[in-house]
Amino acid sequence: MGNVIAFWGARPGQTGNSSNLVASAAMLALDYVSKVLAGHTQYGDSLVEGAFRRQQRALDGMSIGYSSSGIDSLERLARSGQLNAGTMKDYTLPIFSGSLDLLPGTNKPDSDLFVRMHEVAAPICQAARSAYDLTLLDAGSGNGHALNDAVIAHADLVVVSLSQNMSLLREFFENRPEHLQDKPYVLVVGQYDAGSRLTLNNIRRLFKPDVPMFVLPHCSTYMDACNEQKVVEFFLKRKHIQRDQPD
């Protein structure tokens, strides 16, 4: 049985939450875990999908597209009681063959049709546990979104994305979000700048977090790869470089 990990940003647009998930999914799939699923809860464009878009276009050319895949299909199966590990994999798209799949977001034409998606978060998460070793879901940022809250509630672990913004850090540590109460979580400072005065050690000293805290350093070439939809090439190139290095 696998685990579901929700990635949640403490403030919209400031923590690199989606890029943290993309990097984590790719590295886990290539270096550590055999079967990983990446997905998101957003209505509309998502960096999680956009980063892999070039790969998706190639798949579309093989008649594997949004009409026959994604979270909308899983919702229909869940509501009819037909969702399981086997059927779930029929509606995801392969990114790294055999190790990383993508669950496309909603293709509903109106956001009003998406508002009840939270009702099937539990069976989707349970099917994902049976089908994959790790499922990484982008649960957005901020508070007050029913589907994001449901994904966090049903996740086995939450990765909380922070930044080196002092006001954000104070807000988070002085007023811990209710949805993290009694929920295992870790902290990640995304787009980390080692030259900032707010180093990891200083953040730990100032706020004394009682859970593990990590950083994901800023990497210009990685962000360019996300923007140019070349994430697959970026990580495969990195993997080949590692293989060529002498022990």
Side-chain angles (χ1 to χ4, degrees):
M1 187 69 70
N3 289 284
V4 174
I5 302 175
F7 280 64
W8 175 79
R11 188 180 291 176
Q14 294 192 22
T15 64
N17 187 62
S18 297
S19 62
N20 292 349
L21 185 152
V22 170
S24 299
M27 294 185 68
L28 285 166
L30 288 173
D31 295 344
Y32 299 103
V33 185
S34 58
K35 292 185 294 184
V36 179
L37 176 67
H40 68 92
T41 60
Q42 292 177 237
Y43 180 83
D45 293 337
S46 162
L47 188 146
V48 174
E49 284 188 59
F52 297 117
R53 190 168 294 160
R54 177 173 295 190
Q55 186 77 353
Q56 290 173 359
R57 285 173 180 161
L59 290 165
D60 288 344
M62 297 185 295
S63 300
I64 304 175
Y66 289 111
S67 62
S68 60
S69 64
I71 197 169
D72 295 334
S73 297
L74 299 191
E75 179 187 18
R76 290 193 294 271
L77 290 171
R79 292 190 185 281
S80 65
Q82 299 178 61
L83 180 60
N84 55 50
T87 56
M88 182 166 197
K89 285 198 168 187
D90 292 335
Y91 297 95
T92 60
L93 303 177
I95 301 302
F96 298 143
S97 181
S99 60
L100 175 61
D101 289 350
L102 174 69
L103 177 63
T106 184
N107 201 32
K108 295 181 186 295
D110 190 319
S111 61
D112 290 342
L113 301 175
F114 192 57
V115 295
R116 295 180 58 200
M117 186 71 73
H118 67 280
E119 298 172 354
V120 295
I124 289 176
C125 286
Q126 190 57 35
R129 289 187 186 92
S130 299
Y132 294 90
D133 296 317
L134 286 177
T135 297
L136 278 53
L137 297 175
D138 183 350
S141 301
N143 302 306
H145 190 290
L147 178 55
N148 293 347
D149 292 344
V151 167
I152 290 171
H154 294 291
D156 302 293
L157 176 73
V158 180
V159 174
V160 177
S161 296
L162 302 173
S163 73
Q164 289 165 289
N165 180 319
M166 180 61 84
S167 69
L168 181 154
L169 293 168
R170 284 201 180 109
E171 179 182 345
F172 176 80
F173 285 107
E174 293 174 5
N175 300 282
R176 300 289 178 94
E178 290 185 9
H179 59 229
L180 295 179
Q181 299 295 327
D182 302 319
K183 174 67 64 173
Y185 68 94
V186 299
L187 305 173
V188 173
V189 180
Q191 302 298 313
Y192 181 74
D193 179 1
S196 169
R197 291 183 181 179
L198 273 177
T199 63
L200 178 60
N201 285 338
N202 283 340
I203 294 172
R204 285 172 170 162
R205 179 179 56 82
L206 287 169
F207 297 104
K208 299 177 174 55
D210 54 3
V211 297
M213 190 173 194
F214 309 95
V215 302
L216 203 160
H218 175 76
C219 175
S220 298
T221 53
Y222 168 62
M223 294 310 300
D224 287 343
C226 287
N227 291 329
E228 297 169 7
Q229 298 141 22
K230 295 181 178 179
V231 166
V232 171
E233 294 92 333
F234 175 86
F235 282 102
L236 289 177
K237 181 178 179 180
R238 166 190 164 273
K239 186 70 172 177
H240 293 153
I241 291 173
Q242 285 184 326
R243 286 174 178 170
D244 292 339
Q245 293 294 323
D247 293 334

